Amino acid sequence: MNLRLKILLSLIAVFITYVVIDTAIHQYVVMPRFVALEQFQATKDLQRCHASIQRDVDNLHLVLDLPTDWDSLQDYVDQTRECFQRRSQSRQSYSDRHLDMFAVVNHDGKVVWQSIHPPSHKPQFNHQKQARITSFPSDDWTSGHPVIAASLSASASDASETRGVIMTEAGPMIVLARSITRDEDDHVEGAVVVGRFLDRQAIAAKAEQTDVAFQVDAIDPLTVASHQIVPVSMRNGVDQSNGEGQRNEATAAPISIREVDEENLVAQGTLFDIQGNPVLSTYALVQRNISQEGRIAMHYAIGSLVAAAFVVLSILLLLLQQIVINPLNQLSQHATRMGETGNFSARSEINRNDEFGDLATNIDTMVGRLKQLCSSNQQLHVEIRQRKSAESELQHAATHDSLTNLPNRTHLKQMLESRFANRSFCTGNCDALIFLDLDNFKIINDSLGHAVGDELLVAIGERLQAAVDAVSRSAETKTKNLVARLGGDEFVIFLGNVASEEVATEFAEQIRTNLIGRYTVSGHELTLGTSLGIAFSNDSVTTPEELMRNADLAMYRAKFSGKQCLAVFDHAMHESVLKRLELEEALRTVLKDGGLRLVYQPIFDIDTGVIVGLESLVRWDHATKGLISPAEFVPVAEEIGLIVPIGRWILEEACRTIHRLNEARGDGPPISIGVNVSKRQLADAGFVDLLKDVLETENVSPNQLNLEITESMIMDSPEQIVDCLSEIRNLGIRLHMDDFGTGHSSLSCLHRFPIDVLKIDRSFVSTMEVGDDYESIIHAIITLAHNLDTRVIAEGIETTRQLQQLRDLKCDFGQGYLYSKPEPIEDLQELLSAIVNRPRQDPQFGFASIDSTFSMLAPH
């Protein structure tokens, strides 16, 4: 359906709606108003006729001149008769001054005289039955006669008259009855009655007077003329006396209107007799000129509207065609051509200074913008493709290692999270996670360069991936296996849904023994080992983080166990880690809590038994776990960096103790105190300054302080530590090499270190027998030290046999449980206060006399 037809149909619909509404308004609003106006007119016409009859009734007393001075009723009649005869003769031409009936009765109702002239034009009623007829007696009128009843019964002072309509055999009549009284007394002598017939001539005269088509018809008699039968609304004024004792009986009932045909209306009313009974129906015929003229006018109006609408529709369609439809067709054709050809540079041909011209301009502008938008859209598609490619690359870079192109830690965690969320195992199967850490990879990086190290990592990744792919093909499992690089020289292998833990362990062994083997990288033949830790996913492992933690713990257990080891996670590892974590947390507050204390073990002269020094040993008295060995917490303190503040506290406490002790000895020779220091303390740039500060603060001579360092500490980084040791030695502090013989010291460079004393480890002393290898080793150490002008202390002396052997080997000093266990300084006061010690007095020790013992070890 095109626009033209839509507009035409819309206009026709609007016009039809308007016509229907207008017709409905005329039919249901205007025409009822016309009909109501006609009904009102008919009512008014009938009311005028009723009013004319009522005026005749009201004016009957004016027609007959009644005497006022008379002697008797006969005299009354004689004076009135002549007037009546004149009035009755005027009947020939209807006049409201003529009379048809005259009667005079005495107070008993007897007729004194009466005369009646029946009408010449007796009315003919439509009803078959006569209406109620009031007779005129020829002899007596009783006092109950309806015409004179009220007149005879009233007193002279209350004289009344009765007027109204009555039905007679000759037709309806209007009558007037009045009491006859004398002026000198109140006695009613009788009544006079006058009347006039309502014949056809009278009714025609009323119609002519009122200009109404007026008719009268008799009503069938009612069974009882009572107030119960005749409603009050139809008896206006019936039996109701006015202030003068008069009764108005010719009152009409409410008027009803009915349609006779399309051209006439009939207004119908009712007249009541003097007793209140309906006796006459009155009709007024009215022509329906108003509604007919209104209907004709409505038809003309609708016809004119249709004609005008047709003309207006035609003009509107022509204007729409010219102003709207043609420009729209041009715009439509222009848009169609652009859509078919894709030529967005064409412009519309409409050039008008109105809304269509603006619309064409806007369309051209929009087309230009659309052309730009198409170009931008194409560019956007290119950018989207580039962005998707970049996002894919970024996603790959975020989840893969840039060197080996293997999945990284993020990808591994995502895969494990997905696996844990949807894991399902066949009976007996499990998941395995293997952590690998390459052994000695740092040496290759540092010696051959990072480029060679990177090439080696790529080759290792390829070899691991090939091994895992082979396992995946042989296992024929839907679970994807994975090789990932966590960073540095750490790799991870995930085996999903393997047949058993033994199969996964066997694969890890193959990796350890076969796959990590010889590599040729940049012309270098390289051989690598690896430490592996393996953990299994079972019901006790609930999160990916827990599985990765278990595998990592197992790998570190393998690494600490030695090179190229494989460790399988067990819960003891986890408990050990938890224990270590608890230890670390407690260590962080140990100084604040005051849990550390020092114990001291005397160092004595092998020959004389004289105490020449003390070794301070730290103990941790934990609030809940009791006494914790230094072997447990010192390595942890070194690893987490707490050994520096703990070492300072030990140094301060030891210096404070030796200062008090030497003061208490008085004139006796002073003794020295040994303090163990760690590699981390020596590596601290401020350690030498710390020594100076503590010695000065505690007022201790440098030669009273001995620092004990281990053999392995020196040999791990001899070049870096030699300068620090020289600075310490220059302060006057003596240096003891502890646990000598247990490390990998080089005897050729031992002379380079400023060592004052060598301490033979207790492992040699405890197993020493006469003539065995350990005795030879101890003898060699003592001989070497003496040749280097260095003294020797033997640790762990527990028997007199060991003491005698060391004395025979020329060992200088000793310490051990044979002489004294490590004790708090309070428990050693008695031993330290004596110049001659109790062990020397015991014959079993065999100590010699005191002579020059202190010249060798004790400070001067």
Side-chain angles (χ1 to χ4, degrees), residues 496-763:
N497 209 12
V498 293
S500 63
E501 295 182 1
E502 290 75 11
V503 173
T505 305
E506 181 180 352
F507 173 77
E509 286 286 355
Q510 293 177 1
I511 294 292
R512 184 176 67 88
T513 57
N514 300 327
L515 297 180
I516 305 298
R518 185 176 297 276
Y519 292 88
T520 302
V521 179
S522 298
H524 300 280
E525 293 289 336
L526 303 174
T527 302
L528 279 179
T530 181
S531 300
L532 299 93
I534 183 170
F536 299 101
S537 177
N538 47 42
D539 294 338
S540 62
V541 180
T542 58
T543 62
E545 291 77 9
E546 188 176 354
L547 180 62
M548 293 178 67
R549 180 204 65 195
N550 295 345
D552 197 27
L553 288 176
M555 186 267 291
Y556 276 103
R557 173 63 62 84
K559 201 168 187 66
F560 292 147
S561 299
K563 304 295 184 180
Q564 298 187 18
C565 292
L566 169 65
V568 179
F569 174 80
D570 56 32
H571 289 286
M573 295 181 185
H574 187 212
E575 293 174 0
S576 175
V577 171
L578 291 178
K579 183 178 179 180
R580 176 188 172 91
L581 289 175
E582 292 177 1
L583 196 63
E584 287 183 9
E585 291 299 320
L587 270 175
R588 297 185 189 279
T589 59
V590 66
L591 293 177
K592 181 179 178 181
D593 298 338
L596 295 180
R597 62 183 178 89
L598 292 182
V599 293
Y600 303 89
Q601 188 174 33
I603 300 174
F604 60 92
D605 186 281
I606 291 289
D607 293 328
T608 64
V610 175
I611 297 176
V612 295
L614 298 173
E615 181 182 4
S616 62
L617 301 171
V618 65
R619 297 291 185 266
W620 182 8
D621 192 3
H622 196 274
T624 58
K625 297 181 179 180
L627 198 62
I628 299 178
S629 170
E632 293 185 38
F633 70 85
V634 169
V636 177
E638 286 194 35
E639 187 173 342
I640 64 177
L642 290 178
I643 194 62
V644 175
I646 292 176
R648 177 175 184 136
W649 178 86
I650 295 173
L651 187 63
E652 292 174 345
E653 186 68 18
C655 289
R656 193 176 300 117
T657 299
I658 200 62
H659 174 73
R660 292 197 305 266
L661 184 62
N662 286 328
E663 277 189 346
R665 289 173 65 87
D667 295 334
I671 60 176
S672 64
I673 191 164
V675 177
N676 291 279
V677 295
S678 67
K679 181 179 179 181
R680 193 154 189 169
Q681 287 176 279
L682 291 177
D684 187 6
F687 183 64
V688 176
D689 294 333
L690 172 65
L691 292 174
K692 294 179 183 178
D693 182 61
V694 171
L695 291 174
E696 182 178 353
T697 302
E698 303 300 335
N699 194 21
V700 175
S701 174
N703 58 11
Q704 295 177 5
L705 177 63
N706 304 321
L707 296 185
E708 298 189 6
I709 57 178
T710 62
E711 178 186 6
S712 59
M713 183 191 309
I714 296 176
M715 300 313 301
D716 283 343
S717 52
E719 300 299 333
Q720 290 86 357
I721 205 171
V722 66
D723 295 335
C724 179
L725 295 180
S726 298
E727 291 183 32
I728 295 172
R729 189 67 185 81
N730 292 335
L731 292 176
I733 300 173
R734 298 177 181 274
L735 297 176
H736 293 192
M737 181 179 287
D738 199 8
D739 300 334
F740 186 80
T742 60
H744 306 280
S745 60
S746 173
L747 297 179
S748 62
C749 63
L750 185 60
H751 69 281
R752 296 171 52 196
F753 299 105
I755 302 300
D756 297 293
V757 176
L758 292 181
K759 299 185 73 173
I760 300 174
D761 187 70
R762 68 181 62 251
S763 61

Side-chain angles (χ1 to χ4, degrees), residues 76-136:
Y76 186 90
V77 170
D78 291 340
Q79 292 183 32
T80 310
R81 185 186 308 165
E82 183 180 356
C83 181
F84 168 71
Q85 289 177 352
R86 287 197 310 272
R87 299 302 184 194
S88 62
Q89 290 176 358
S90 63
R91 179 81 180 171
Q92 299 300 324
S93 59
Y94 178 79
S95 172
D96 57 2
R97 305 293 293 177
H98 80 275
L99 292 173
D100 292 325
M101 188 270 290
F102 176 71
V104 178
V105 298
N106 62 15
H107 62 84
D108 293 330
K110 291 183 178 182
V111 177
V112 177
W113 184 86
Q114 70 176 355
S115 176
I116 298 176
H117 297 279
S120 57
H121 303 285
K122 184 178 180 180
Q124 295 179 355
F125 299 117
N126 295 329
H127 298 284
Q128 295 179 356
K129 294 182 181 181
Q130 291 290 334
R132 182 182 301 273
I133 295 175
T134 302
S135 62
F136 296 100

Side-chain angles (χ1 to χ4, degrees), residues 185-487:
D185 57 21
D186 291 337
H187 181 67
V188 177
E189 297 293 336
V192 60
V193 181
V194 295
R196 182 189 304 139
F197 284 106
L198 284 175
D199 56 5
R200 286 181 293 172
Q201 186 178 7
I203 293 173
K206 295 300 179 184
E208 184 177 356
Q209 291 176 3
T210 59
D211 194 20
V212 176
F214 180 62
Q215 294 179 3
V216 176
D217 197 3
I219 298 177
D220 289 341
L222 298 175
T223 57
V224 179
S226 65
H227 294 288
Q228 287 74 20
I229 296 177
V230 181
V232 175
S233 61
M234 298 179 65
R235 301 195 314 273
N236 297 333
V238 175
D239 297 333
Q240 296 179 1
S241 299
N242 56 21
E244 299 176 353
Q246 298 179 346
R247 293 162 62 96
N248 299 323
E249 304 293 351
T251 305
I255 298 171
S256 62
I257 307 297
R258 61 184 178 87
E259 295 183 4
V260 178
D261 51 29
E262 294 183 357
E263 298 180 356
N264 297 286
L265 284 177
V266 170
Q268 181 180 355
T270 303
L271 293 179
F272 300 91
D273 63 8
I274 60 176
Q275 292 180 298
N277 297 315
V279 292
L280 290 178
S281 291
T282 58
Y283 302 93
L285 185 64
V286 179
Q287 291 185 349
R288 304 186 64 181
N289 296 329
I290 298 176
S291 61
Q292 289 178 356
E293 292 298 329
R295 189 175 290 106
I296 292 171
M298 184 183 69
H299 292 165
Y300 277 116
I302 294 175
S304 300
L305 181 63
V306 170
F310 178 76
V311 175
V312 171
L313 283 177
S314 300
I315 295 173
L316 286 176
L317 287 176
L318 291 176
L319 292 175
L320 287 172
Q321 178 70 31
Q322 185 66 27
I323 299 174
V324 178
I325 296 177
N326 289 341
L328 288 177
N329 287 335
Q330 293 179 2
L331 291 175
S332 176
Q333 294 171 2
H334 176 58
T336 302
R337 286 194 301 270
M338 285 191 299
E340 292 175 350
T341 61
N343 182 15
F344 295 107
S345 60
R347 294 293 180 263
S348 64
E349 299 175 357
I350 298 177
N351 187 14
R352 295 170 51 170
N353 295 325
D354 56 9
E355 287 78 2
F356 280 101
D358 296 339
L359 178 61
T361 302
N362 293 335
I363 289 177
D364 291 340
T365 304
M366 182 184 67
V367 169
R369 297 286 179 85
L370 183 62
K371 183 178 180 181
Q372 296 176 1
L373 183 61
C374 290
S375 176
S376 300
N377 190 35
Q378 293 176 355
Q379 182 65 27
L380 182 60
H381 280 294
V382 173
E383 292 179 359
I384 289 174
R385 286 194 297 269
Q386 293 175 350
R387 179 168 295 183
K388 286 184 177 180
S389 176
E391 288 178 354
S392 178
E393 292 176 359
L394 287 174
Q395 180 68 23
H396 185 274
T399 58
H400 287 74
D401 177 52
S402 58
L403 177 63
T404 62
N405 204 32
L406 292 174
N408 60 10
R409 183 183 295 272
T410 301
H411 188 283
L412 174 66
K413 291 185 67 175
Q414 292 175 353
M415 187 275 296
L416 290 177
E417 288 173 356
S418 175
R419 177 62 177 163
F420 270 77
N422 305 283
R423 63 179 177 176
S424 59
F425 303 117
C426 299
T427 304
N429 291 13
C430 64
D431 291 344
L433 191 66
I434 305 173
F435 269 42
L436 299 88
D437 187 84
L438 303 180
D439 296 331
N440 300 325
F441 178 76
K442 186 176 183 301
I443 297 175
I444 296 175
N445 246 356
D446 293 342
S447 59
L448 301 179
H450 289 280
V452 175
D454 290 345
E455 289 185 38
L456 179 60
L457 291 175
V458 172
I460 292 173
E462 292 174 351
R463 186 174 294 187
L464 290 175
Q465 186 66 61
V468 171
D469 290 342
V471 171
S472 300
R473 288 192 297 271
S474 62
E476 297 182 356
T477 176
K478 294 182 179 180
T479 304
K480 183 179 179 181
N481 298 326
L482 182 72
V483 177
R485 182 190 175 208
L486 299 186

